Amino acid sequence: MKIVVLGPHFAPDTAPTGTVLTRIVEELAAHGHELHVVASLPWYRAHRIEPGWTGRLVRTEQVEWGTITRIHPFPGDDKSNLVRRALGFVAFSILAGVAALRAGGWFRRTDAVFAMSPPLTLGLTGWLVARLRRGRLVFNIQDVFPDAAVRTGAITNRRVIAVASWLERVSYRRADAVTVLSDDLCDNVAGKVDEPTARRVHVIPNFVDTDRIAPADRMTDYRAELGFDDRPIVLYAGNVGFSQSLDLVVAAARACPDLGFVVNGDGAARAELESQASDVPNLRFVGYQPIERLPEVLATGDVHVVPLRAGLGDVSVPSKTYSSLAAGRPVVASIDPGTEIPRLLDEAGAGVSVPPDDPDAFVTELRRLADDAATRERLGAAGRRWVVEHASPAAIGAAYDDLMRLITR
């Protein structure tokens, strides 16, 4: 099949969605498909286009399985400026649409278009490209928007919410298939659309590269760079945004001065969190590391944490959880009970979940695991076994391949 792929990021960009999209493309290529990717120039790490990639609005390269077209993402440093971000998404989506019509030959017929959200605007872009190129559309949802932004208070304007909700529903209805990461997200999407559209929603979870990310010695060079000795380290690795309850990490670091705490990542909430933690000597804030250091970063943490604010467990599935399990590290999740991540940890026997935004429960479980190396090892080994069996790239790639073949019959 000939497939056009639209996404916000692609390797070597370091965004988690870029890692996911890159591997989906690689797995589809392994199934013999011709792929033409349209994504942004690398910019995620510092929220500006990286050195070596500037100077051109569009760059296209030939690869063995097709082409990669990288376009200007119109980035902004202030992620709290929603108007600026919305205009950037719209501009990116328009330019992506033009590039997608050209990818692999202007307006030549394609079998399928695969579009990833966020940004939500790529849904209609993907639909327009699919119609003009006489193909089918798969709309991949990584986070349900605008629900998360509304529930965190990032969007409060009723007109903006109404427009975003309309765009969301229209995008779902226009797609030939909608893929989500969990049963919770499936229920969320299905509840917003009519029955025929709901039947086109499919659950395909994210995956983790279990070959590249594997259990390793906890005494890493990264630990030494952070200035920590062999004390247990509690690690958060991912986006430092307002959806994540990282104030829990600050509170836990204050309550457990004998442990080391690391927040590895960047985002809109980082400056405020660093200010809150200015008097906490055992907590380190570190920016994103080069992608090749990810296994080392994950190995450094003895206990990994996945905090998500109350009310977001059914609209977001933190993919960092899979990486933690692949690294053989136990997870303490602070997420709505009964949602995907607590169910996963319980099924895998890989960690514990506490109610969201409950610092006492969070600290209690961190303390218990920090003091019990044998339990950490047992939970970590169980998580590793689960992720190898259920979330390998090959298994997820096969699921997308099956879906593409189903909708293009």
Side-chain angles (χ1 to χ4, degrees), residues 11 54 58 68 70 83 108 139 172 185 208 217 227 252-253 270 307 328 334 407:
T54 57
V58 179
I68 304 172
R70 305 180 198 274
V83 173
R108 288 184 181 175
F139 191 27
Y172 297 153
L185 270 62
V208 61
D217 190 341
R270 178 173 166 177
S334 172
I407 66 170

Side-chain angles (χ1 to χ4, degrees), residues 97-392:
V98 174
L101 291 175
R102 172 180 173 272
W106 278 105
F107 291 98
R108 288 184 181 175
R109 183 166 186 167
T110 189
D111 295 289
V113 174
F114 181 97
M116 177 180 280
S117 171
L120 182 59
T121 47
L122 282 185
L124 286 188
T125 300
W127 168 74
L128 182 60
V129 173
R131 296 293 81 83
L132 291 175
R133 299 191 65 165
R134 304 179 299 284
R136 301 287 188 172
L137 172 64
V138 175
F139 191 27
N140 175 266
I141 308 299
Q142 292 290 308
D143 286 310
V144 177
F145 185 88
D147 294 27
V150 172
R151 295 182 191 182
T152 58
I155 299 178
T156 57
N157 185 292
R158 291 186 178 182
R159 291 184 179 179
V160 173
I161 294 171
V163 170
S165 298
W166 171 83
L167 178 60
E168 179 191 18
R169 293 191 301 273
V170 169
S171 299
Y172 297 153
R173 289 200 295 266
R174 294 293 184 270
D176 297 286
V178 177
T179 63
V180 295
L181 305 181
S182 71
D183 291 333
D184 297 314
L185 270 62
C186 182
D187 292 341
N188 181 293
V189 171
K192 298 173 180 176
V193 295
D194 55 29
E195 186 176 343
T197 304
R199 289 198 296 267
R200 298 198 297 270
V201 182
H202 304 260
V203 176
I204 302 179
N206 276 343
F207 54 84
V208 61
D209 189 339
T210 51
D211 292 329
R212 188 168 66 91
I213 300 176
D217 190 341
R218 61 191 288 275
M219 299 303 294
T220 63
D221 291 340
Y222 188 56
R223 176 187 288 259
E225 291 169 16
L226 295 170
F228 284 127
D229 50 24
D230 64 349
R231 74 183 72 181
I233 287 181
V234 176
L235 174 72
Y236 173 85
N239 182 53
V240 185
F242 295 106
S243 298
Q244 294 80 27
S245 300
L246 291 172
D247 51 322
L248 291 178
V249 177
V250 176
R254 282 202 176 94
C256 305
D258 57 317
L259 306 181
F261 288 79
V262 179
V263 173
N264 187 109
D266 288 299
R270 178 173 166 177
E272 181 180 336
L273 283 166
E274 285 195 83
S275 177
Q276 292 177 13
S278 59
D279 61 339
V280 185
N282 58 322
L283 172 58
R284 310 279 193 273
F285 287 86
V286 189
Y288 285 114
Q289 299 300 298
I291 191 67
E292 58 269 16
R293 292 198 78 182
L294 178 59
E296 180 188 4
V297 170
L298 297 175
T300 300
D302 296 284
V303 180
H304 291 201
V305 295
V306 182
L308 198 64
R309 295 202 180 280
L312 300 183
D314 63 343
V315 297
S316 180
V317 179
S319 58
K320 64 180 69 69
T321 309
Y322 296 91
S323 297
S324 297
L325 301 189
R329 297 300 190 260
V331 173
V332 175
S334 172
I335 299 181
D336 297 310
T339 56
E340 183 70 12
I341 295 304
R343 288 197 299 264
L344 184 159
L345 293 177
D346 184 59
E347 177 186 341
V352 294
S353 301
V354 299
D357 304 320
D358 185 339
D360 291 337
F362 187 68
V363 169
T364 296
E365 292 301 334
L366 286 181
R367 181 82 268 174
R368 181 176 69 84
L369 287 177
D371 292 342
D372 190 344
T375 297
R376 294 200 307 267
E377 183 175 353
R378 175 174 57 81
L379 297 179
R384 173 70 186 182
R385 285 194 300 272
W386 186 93
V387 81
V388 168
E389 293 174 5
H390 295 89
S392 70

